[in-house]
Amino acid sequence: MRIADLEFEPFLDQSEIESAIERVAKEVADDYLNKTPLFVGVLNGSFRFVSEFIKHYPQSCEVSFVKLSSYQGLSSTGIVETLLDVSESVEGRDIVVLEDIIDSGRTLQELIHLFSAQNISSFAIATLFFKPSKYKKEYQINYKAIDLPDEFVVGYGLDYKEKGRELNDLYILKNS
Ligand code: IMP
Ligand code: MG
């Protein structure tokens, strides 16, 4: 499949992605019994993950979003900006950030920085996709749905040049 100037091939089915999300939602629920966590989705890529996660989250919770920016096309610019802040008061809250994908961890570091300045009760990260061979940061990711090889992927909310977010399955960059 062609997206902009690149060729991609099918990698994971929607059903495999969604059963991994259901598993993670239940794992988080077990850890937040009798709490009302504030789930913070990272836009734009996490919108489908957040929606599916919430479908399977069986307990009290709240949902909000932040927007950061670091990627242009295939590789990170290294500049991570906060474009849109969490509008709710986060003071005293149990924050669980929902990320679409963690690659170098730079975006994650910015999020940790953003929340560390606030008086929150607890902080955790759940990511839909994780590239273990790319991640070099110290922070231990609390919840991971699916590990990926070090290749660029699109679909299920993730984009290449803002295209492909609507794809129900996950596609991986074809090697020549
Ligand atoms: P990091 O800051 O390098 O960890 O990159 C995280 C952000 O980069 C994600 O929130 C995505 O928006 C984007 N990203 C990283 N890898 C991919 C990929 O394989 N496909 C699409 N977007 C990606
Ligand atoms: Mg992107």
Side-chain angles (χ1 to χ4, degrees):
M1 166 185 303
R2 195 161 190 85
I3 299 174
D5 53 332
L6 292 176
E7 237 3 270
F8 289 84
E9 60 191 8
F11 188 67
L12 283 173
D13 278 0
Q14 181 177 4
S15 61
E16 296 172 73
I17 299 169
E18 292 183 347
S19 51
I21 296 173
E22 182 172 357
R23 174 181 51 73
V24 167
K26 292 185 170 147
E27 223 178 294
V28 174
D30 283 347
D31 292 347
Y32 288 81
L33 281 174
N34 305 316
K35 291 182 176 165
T36 300
L38 173 59
F39 294 121
V40 179
V42 184
L43 292 172
N44 293 329
S46 74
F47 70 98
R48 287 191 79 148
F49 173 40
V50 173
S51 156
E52 191 63 23
F53 180 98
I54 294 302
K55 259 198 235 174
H56 299 287
Y57 194 78
Q59 291 154 203
S60 159
C61 65
E62 290 177 23
V63 186
S64 188
F65 290 91
V66 281
K67 186 163 186 172
L68 305 167
S69 126
S70 86
Y71 263 65
Q72 302 284 339
L74 283 183
S75 69
S76 176
T77 59
I79 302 156
V80 183
E81 262 186 289
T82 308
L83 303 174
L84 183 74
D85 245 323
V86 181
S87 48
E88 286 76 9
S89 166
V90 296
E91 202 180 314
R93 302 303 308 269
D94 294 299
I95 304 293
V96 181
V97 167
L98 301 180
E99 261 273 36
D100 53 349
I101 186 164
I102 295 173
D103 181 278
S104 70
R106 251 188 231 114
T107 308
L108 169 64
Q109 205 168 39
E110 180 60 24
L111 284 163
I112 293 168
H113 178 75
L114 190 74
F115 286 105
S116 68
Q118 323 221 29
N119 210 0
I120 62 175
S121 167
S122 70
F123 182 82
I125 301 257
T127 189
L128 173 53
F129 300 115
F130 183 61
K131 295 181 187 167
S133 61
K134 289 287 282 295
Y135 187 69
K136 297 284 181 283
K137 307 279 186 217
E138 308 234 307
Y139 187 89
Q140 294 288 312
I141 315 299
N142 307 82
Y143 308 95
K144 300 172 213 166
I146 296 170
D147 278 357
L148 294 179
D150 178 12
E151 302 289 347
F152 196 82
V153 291
V154 288
Y156 209 82
L158 286 95
D159 72 300
Y160 171 56
K161 296 188 173 171
E162 292 305 323
K163 300 289 189 296
R165 295 194 195 275
E166 75 284 8
L167 299 167
N168 291 321
D169 302 321
L170 191 73
Y171 293 77
I172 197 158
L173 187 62
K174 212 168 176 169
N175 286 312
S176 65

